[in-house]
Amino acid sequence: MRPDLVIFDCDGVLVDSEIVSNEVLVDNLAGYGLVLSLEQAMSMFVGGTMRGVGEKARQMGADLPKDWVDEIYSQTYARLELGVDVIKGIPELLDDLDAAGIKYCVASNGSDDKMKITLGQNGLWDRFNGKRFSAHSVGISKPDPGLFLLAAEKAGVSPDACVVIEDSLSGVMAAKRAGMRCFGYAPHGGGAALAEHGAHIFDDMGALTTLIGLKEMA
């Protein structure tokens, strides 16, 4: 069934920024006494808020300063400004959605400033003009379903007519709680946890037009 609205996560779904951001995080936390591998950091922190990351890191023994959230954002933004790629297949997918007259938007736990850096480098910032929802601005973060429900409300679409594209457990949980179909993007494997919470797993953004009913299977 074709959706009336496709809701994209940002990091790891529209732009390939998750690994870069977590490399910065790993280096930063090591300086405060918490040594993690990149795989560990991504497993624990992808999809969360930076405030939540800080709280968990402190629980694990990191001696973080009070202004740590501002510090890690500054370091992450500086690294992202050096360059981040758009996820392969996204421009073509958005073209297909435009051609089919299907609405789309982005709903992220990240900040508007971060999205402006990552989406702005790839011609996507203007494309999502008026269709960007940040947990920082809204005050609701995944796994709370409120961010997705707000996006649907603003688009005038009922939750059961929405499709969410996510790569994190918190996002999949938010979609499930919102009563929305969810497709879990797992290009490097590791989709089992997402599938356990009801996501349909896929690894090629080019296949999504078929998966959501825009094109028939060849």
Side-chain angles (χ1 to χ4, degrees):
M1 182 178 72
R2 286 189 174 196
D4 293 330
L5 174 66
V6 178
I7 303 175
F8 292 93
D9 179 41
C10 186
D11 297 300
V13 172
L14 292 176
V15 287
D16 195 11
S17 51
E18 288 288 19
I19 291 178
V20 171
S21 296
N22 278 274
E23 286 175 342
V24 174
L25 181 62
V26 166
D27 290 343
N28 177 279
L29 292 178
Y32 292 110
L34 180 58
V35 178
L36 299 171
S37 68
L38 177 61
E39 292 74 17
Q40 288 173 317
M42 294 191 69
S43 175
M44 288 187 289
F45 301 134
V46 166
T49 64
M50 201 57 73
R51 190 171 302 279
V53 170
E55 291 173 357
K56 189 165 186 177
R58 287 187 177 95
Q59 292 171 4
M60 296 175 68
D63 185 20
L64 305 183
K66 290 182 179 180
D67 63 348
W68 179 80
V69 170
D70 292 334
E71 175 186 303
I72 192 63
Y73 273 135
S74 177
Q75 293 178 4
T76 301
Y77 293 171
R79 175 58 185 84
L80 291 173
E81 285 173 348
L82 296 178
V84 60
D85 293 330
V86 67
I87 294 292
K88 183 179 179 181
I90 282 294
E92 295 81 4
L93 174 58
L94 297 181
D95 288 343
D96 289 338
L97 292 174
D98 284 334
I102 294 176
K103 300 176 181 179
Y104 55 85
C105 66
V106 55
S108 174
N109 270 359
S111 68
D112 287 299
D113 288 341
K114 185 178 182 183
M115 283 195 282
K116 189 167 186 179
I117 293 170
T118 58
L119 299 181
Q121 295 177 19
N122 296 286
L124 299 181
W125 178 254
D126 291 336
R127 197 157 191 176
F128 282 90
N129 188 37
K131 300 180 287 188
R132 297 184 296 264
F133 299 88
S134 163
H136 287 229
S137 300
V138 175
I140 307 170
S141 58
K142 312 168 200 177
D144 188 300
L147 194 63
F148 291 154
L149 292 173
L150 176 63
E153 179 185 348
K154 292 294 186 182
V157 176
S158 63
D160 61 1
C162 297
V163 161
V164 173
I165 314 302
E166 270 287 352
D167 69 331
S168 71
L169 184 56
S170 64
V172 171
M173 292 172 64
K176 183 177 181 179
R177 292 170 179 173
M180 299 176 178
R181 285 190 294 155
C182 185
F183 288 84
Y185 183 55
H188 307 297
L194 306 185
E196 287 177 6
H197 285 78
H200 181 108
I201 305 304
F202 71 109
D203 61 6
D204 179 6
M205 205 61 74
L208 199 59
T209 51
T210 298
L211 293 174
I212 65 176
L214 266 67
K215 294 181 179 179
E216 294 183 1
M217 295 182 67

